Amino acid sequence: MEVLVVNIQGLSTNPGDLPNLHNILKQAHDSLHAESIRLLPLLDMLDPSLHSLGYLYILEACTSSALSKEQASAVVLPTARFMNSCSKEQIQLAPEKFISVCKRFKDYVMQLEAPMRGVAPMLAAIRKIQSSSEHLTPLHPEFLVLCLLSKCYKAGLSILDEDIFEVDQPKDLLLYCYYGGMICIGEKRFRKALELLHNVVTAPMSVITAIAVEAYKKYILVSLIHNGQFSTSLPKYTSSVAQRNLKNICQPYIELANSYTTGKIADFETVAQKYQEKFDNDNNLGLVKQAISSMYKRNIQRLTQTYLTLSLQDIANSVQLNSAKEAEMQVLQMIQDGEIFATINQKDGMVSFLEDPEQYKSCGMIERIDSSIQRIMALSRKLTTMNENISCDPMYLAKVGRERQRFDFDDYDPVPQRFNI
């Protein structure tokens, strides 16, 4: 082990020596794993930023066996330091080992019931292993899990706002979208949550997966909260397996969505009470309660389409609130959130509904529209490039060639009339 440490120290500084060091470390793999946790003191002799490849091999061996809580506590600090400061060029020589170490690190901080300790190091590790910001790595789902458990939702949003075009494993994408959807729900970004959950539900699958089922349940509830409605018909590109099974598996949620469309609070609450234990076991009871709250808001928004002024008591009676005071609080919150435009006359308790004051001609709005146009143009160029690459892919062409009929008369132009015999 001392000779190995000397080799790591001597061969890490010159990039040309790294392939030789890598071969030495590969040959020492079995010896390192035989020593396992007793190798931990060797890490003190190495600098994680200079000797990253050797540090990685030793650290991977240290974490290869199950660790007690005390041992995990001892390993977490050097691992976090390594993930933050390691050399990107060196660890990319052994990416599988780096990913393995990072996943074990996530398990250790969860074992110690301190998920927040893993958020910053895991984000740093993602940046080290990514080929570009468009690359989805196996560490993305691990990072989002830590953000969820520690309630560091804003940290999770930092990678959810990036467009993904390159994926290593399909399961990583499903987990990324599912956990990302949950983070967006936590931040009340329901539109983005719907987009991510939609990706899980409509992803290609040969068998129904637990991830798709759980995503579909949340997709239904978030649709009610954000859109005020839910359509049971899935897009045509959804797999036939999902089309056949999801509705049957999630029947209580479908029934809840159907009761929402009636606009009657009592009907919705009856179904919610009927399946309360089911929703609670699925950890979706909070979303059900938010759906009830959104139903009051939808009913108030309908009133704005019919009336110019209305008393708070009439609003309470129409939307089935208990008192005029509750109606006032609900209207004030909706005004603050920009969901309706209205004024309340405190003297006579009357609410005046107003038109949207936005004229779409301010500098800020023009900049926002221009930013959206630029983003759409960039996405269009990216999709065009991807389409061209797929069209030239040998595997795709071979598959299309096998599926296409040998003779397709639509490919031939009809014979001109004057040549007919």
Side-chain angles (χ1 to χ4, degrees), residues 159-165 173-174 176-178 180-182 184-185 189-203 215 218-219 222-223 226-227 237 375 379:
I159 64 169
L160 291 172
D161 288 334
E162 298 172 348
D163 294 320
I164 297 297
F165 293 101
L173 179 62
L174 296 180
Y176 166 82
C177 290
Y178 178 65
M182 292 175 69
C184 290
I185 289 171
R189 291 182 56 174
F190 294 119
R191 183 176 179 179
K192 181 68 174 178
L194 277 176
E195 175 189 327
L196 292 167
L197 294 172
H198 178 86
N199 291 342
V200 181
V201 173
T202 59
K218 288 180 171 57
Y219 182 71
V222 176
S223 295
H226 184 66
N227 297 326
Y237 50 81
R375 173 169 167 74
L379 286 174

Side-chain angles (χ1 to χ4, degrees), residues 287-337:
L287 281 175
V288 173
K289 292 179 179 178
Q290 289 186 62
I292 294 175
S293 177
S294 75
M295 201 169 184
Y296 286 111
K297 294 180 180 180
R298 298 289 172 191
N299 289 340
I300 292 175
Q301 286 174 333
R302 290 191 188 99
L303 295 177
T304 67
Q305 300 169 10
T306 307
Y307 301 96
L308 292 176
T309 59
L310 205 61
S311 70
L312 289 169
Q313 187 59 54
D314 287 339
I315 292 175
N317 295 337
S318 298
V319 303
Q320 302 172 40
L321 287 166
N322 294 326
S323 65
K325 187 65 177 176
E326 281 191 27
E328 181 181 6
M329 297 304 296
Q330 192 78 30
V331 170
L332 283 172
Q333 186 63 52
M334 293 179 70
I335 293 172
Q336 183 179 337
D337 295 339

Side-chain angles (χ1 to χ4, degrees), residues 211-417:
I211 303 173
V213 171
E214 295 307 312
Y216 190 62
K217 293 173 182 176
K218 288 180 171 57
Y219 182 71
I220 293 172
L221 295 174
V222 176
S223 295
L224 297 179
I225 295 168
H226 184 66
N227 297 326
Q229 60 184 357
F230 175 74
S231 174
T232 55
S233 59
L234 293 168
K236 291 182 179 179
Y237 50 81
T238 307
S239 67
S240 57
V241 174
Q243 299 263 21
R244 289 195 307 267
N245 297 295
L246 283 177
K247 297 173 190 175
N248 295 330
I249 296 173
C250 304
Q251 190 56 42
Y253 292 84
I254 299 293
E255 189 175 336
L256 189 73
N258 291 336
S259 68
Y260 190 102
T261 57
T262 65
K264 298 178 180 178
I265 301 290
D267 292 351
F268 188 84
E269 288 182 334
T270 299
V271 178
Q273 187 65 35
K274 177 182 176 182
Y275 296 110
Q276 181 175 350
E277 185 177 352
K278 168 68 174 173
F279 298 143
D280 194 20
N281 292 336
D282 291 342
N283 294 318
N284 288 329
L285 192 57
L287 281 175
V288 173
K289 292 179 179 178
Q290 289 186 62
I292 294 175
S293 177
S294 75
M295 201 169 184
Y296 286 111
K297 294 180 180 180
R298 298 289 172 191
N299 289 340
I300 292 175
Q301 286 174 333
R302 290 191 188 99
L303 295 177
T304 67
Q305 300 169 10
T306 307
Y307 301 96
L308 292 176
T309 59
L310 205 61
S311 70
L312 289 169
Q313 187 59 54
D314 287 339
I315 292 175
N317 295 337
S318 298
V319 303
Q320 302 172 40
L321 287 166
N322 294 326
S323 65
K325 187 65 177 176
E326 281 191 27
E328 181 181 6
M329 297 304 296
Q330 192 78 30
V331 170
L332 283 172
Q333 186 63 52
M334 293 179 70
I335 293 172
Q336 183 179 337
D337 295 339
E339 294 171 331
I340 62 171
F341 305 98
T343 59
I344 300 176
N345 188 326
Q346 295 287 349
K347 185 176 181 179
D348 55 13
M350 295 297 292
V351 179
S352 299
F353 299 117
L354 310 173
E355 296 292 332
D356 184 353
E358 177 60 63
Q359 298 298 312
Y360 297 95
K361 58 184 181 181
S362 64
C363 292
M365 181 56 67
I366 292 172
E367 289 177 2
R368 185 175 173 184
I369 293 172
D370 181 66
S371 175
S372 297
I373 292 173
Q374 295 298 326
R375 173 169 167 74
I376 291 169
M377 291 173 63
L379 286 174
S380 177
R381 288 192 295 270
K382 186 72 178 179
L383 289 172
T384 301
T385 302
M386 291 176 67
N387 185 52
E388 291 173 354
N389 292 337
I390 291 173
S391 300
C392 299
D393 184 79
M395 293 179 64
Y396 170 76
L397 293 173
K399 185 175 187 296
V400 171
R402 287 195 301 271
E403 292 178 352
R404 187 169 180 166
Q405 295 181 5
R406 186 170 181 181
F407 297 104
D408 190 344
F409 291 105
D410 290 338
D411 288 344
Y412 299 95
D413 292 330
V415 177
Q417 185 69 30

Side-chain angles (χ1 to χ4, degrees), residues 53-176:
L53 187 60
Y55 202 102
L56 172 61
Y57 266 79
I58 295 175
L59 191 57
E60 193 271 337
C62 289
T63 58
S64 60
S65 57
L67 303 182
S68 66
K69 202 167 184 178
E70 292 74 21
Q71 291 172 327
S73 181
V75 168
V76 161
L77 188 58
T79 306
R81 186 175 60 183
F82 169 71
M83 292 164 68
N84 281 315
S85 61
C86 65
S87 164
K88 183 174 182 176
E89 291 72 20
Q90 291 192 35
I91 60 103
Q92 285 188 347
L93 293 172
E96 295 82 5
K97 285 191 177 295
F98 183 72
I99 291 170
S100 176
V101 165
C102 293
K103 287 185 175 182
R104 291 170 190 169
F105 170 76
K106 185 264 298 186
D107 295 336
Y108 296 149
V109 294
M110 291 176 62
Q111 184 181 351
L112 297 173
E113 299 178 357
M116 189 175 290
R117 293 179 63 181
V119 172
M122 191 65 75
L123 180 58
I126 288 175
R127 300 309 184 199
K128 297 287 175 68
I129 203 70
Q130 268 186 317
S131 57
S132 71
S133 61
E134 298 175 347
H135 176 208
L136 181 72
T137 72
L139 299 182
H140 276 75
E142 310 294 330
F143 171 69
L144 293 177
V145 166
L146 292 175
C147 291
L148 275 171
L149 294 175
S150 60
K151 293 184 170 55
C152 293
Y153 300 141
K154 283 186 169 56
L157 291 176
S158 65
I159 64 169
L160 291 172
D161 288 334
E162 298 172 348
D163 294 320
I164 297 297
F165 293 101
E166 182 184 347
V167 181
D168 292 337
Q169 295 294 332
K171 185 180 178 182
D172 295 334
L173 179 62
L174 296 180
L175 290 173
Y176 166 82

Side-chain angles (χ1 to χ4, degrees), residues 28-40:
H29 178 272
D30 294 339
S31 301
L32 288 170
H33 279 251
E35 297 294 331
S36 191
I37 195 63
R38 288 176 289 184
L39 295 172
L40 200 58

